[in-house]
């Protein structure tokens, strides 16, 4: 709580939170990760900046982000390890000039098991969608594969190729290799 004794400036409550955790819902199989974060942040990089939370100015806003992310992990025998993850985060602000956002990520990953010795492979597909309280939504889809060669226990060589399609820079989706 900030209150000024000899000033007409209004009182202000500033909240702070930095919490995270993980729950193993089904042993070695289903996990739920969660986090919450509240802090005071500048609205614009070009506005008045403050060092700490005691100075009030119009360029400061309380920003909060909450995230939940269930996942399933396991092995397909000696052939591959897998992970499927869903993640949803919501970000908001108490400033009218700052946009809130809801982000949804999904991903499925496969990686070779230990049966190939010092060679390995990976494959991944995923999607991200972001909806803004002010502005147009964005979407991104991707798929990639990779090869891994373990030269020594401390050196690995990794090559990855894939394709992504998104509407970050234009309304129409554009694809990239």
């Amino acid at each position: 709580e900030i209150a000024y004794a000899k000033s007409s400036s209004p009182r202000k409550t500033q909240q702070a939170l930095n919490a995270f955790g993980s729950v193993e819902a089904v042993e070695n199989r289903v996990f739920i990760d969660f986090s919450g974060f509240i802090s005071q942040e500048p609205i614009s990089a070009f506005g008045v900046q403050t060092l700490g939370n005691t100075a009030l100015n119009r360029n400061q806003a309380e920003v909060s982000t909450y995230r939940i992310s269930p996942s399933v992990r396991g092995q397909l025998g000696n052939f591959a390890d897998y992970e499927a993850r869903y993640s949803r985060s919501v970000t908001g602000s108490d400033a009218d000039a700052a946009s809130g956002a809801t982000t949804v990520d999904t991903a499925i990953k496969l990686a070779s098991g230990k049966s190939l010795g010092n060679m390995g492979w990976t494959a991944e597909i995923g999607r991200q969608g972001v909806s803004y309280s002010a502005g147009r939504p964005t979407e991104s889809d991707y798929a990639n594969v990779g090869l891994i060669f373990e030269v020594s226990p401390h050196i690995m060589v990794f090559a990855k190729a894939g394709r992504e399609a998104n509407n970050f820079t234009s309304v129409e989706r554009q694809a990239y290799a």
Side-chain angles (χ1 to χ4, degrees):
E1 185 73 25
I2 297 175
Y4 295 93
K6 295 183 180 183
S7 174
S8 61
S9 295
R11 297 173 70 121
K12 181 166 179 163
T13 301
Q14 292 184 340
Q15 301 179 58
L17 172 69
N18 188 3
F20 56 91
S22 185
V23 174
E24 187 174 2
V26 176
E27 188 174 350
N28 294 325
R29 191 75 59 213
V30 179
F31 302 86
I32 302 170
D33 300 328
F34 57 90
S35 62
F37 184 74
I38 303 173
S39 68
Q40 306 301 313
E41 301 291 335
I43 297 169
S44 170
F46 303 108
V48 175
Q49 302 297 309
T50 59
L51 298 172
N53 293 336
T54 58
L56 299 177
N57 71 52
R58 296 185 190 279
N59 191 40
Q60 191 172 348
E62 185 172 280
V63 178
S64 61
T65 300
Y66 302 100
R67 179 180 162 267
I68 188 159
S69 181
S71 65
V72 177
R73 294 179 229 163
Q75 297 174 327
L76 301 171
N78 285 339
F79 174 69
D81 298 331
Y82 67 86
E83 179 179 0
R85 178 175 292 276
Y86 171 86
S87 180
R88 180 180 183 90
S89 66
V90 177
T91 300
S93 170
D94 66 354
D96 295 333
S99 175
T102 300
T103 304
V104 175
D105 289 296
T106 54
I108 298 173
K109 301 175 186 179
L110 292 173
S112 61
K114 302 296 181 197
S115 64
L116 298 177
N118 62 346
M119 292 289 294
W121 57 267
T122 64
E124 181 177 3
I125 59 171
R127 167 173 275 229
Q128 179 187 68
V130 183
S131 299
Y132 298 95
S133 59
R136 69 178 181 84
T138 60
E139 294 179 342
S140 173
D141 298 305
Y142 67 90
N144 59 55
V145 294
L147 294 174
I148 304 166
F149 180 72
E150 185 176 338
V151 177
S152 75
H154 304 290
I155 300 174
M156 297 177 85
V157 178
F158 186 81
K160 191 184 230 182
R163 187 152 182 86
E164 178 180 348
N166 66 54
N167 65 345
F168 295 158
T169 59
S170 70
V171 177
E172 299 298 319
R173 292 174 63 88
Q174 298 177 347
Y176 307 92

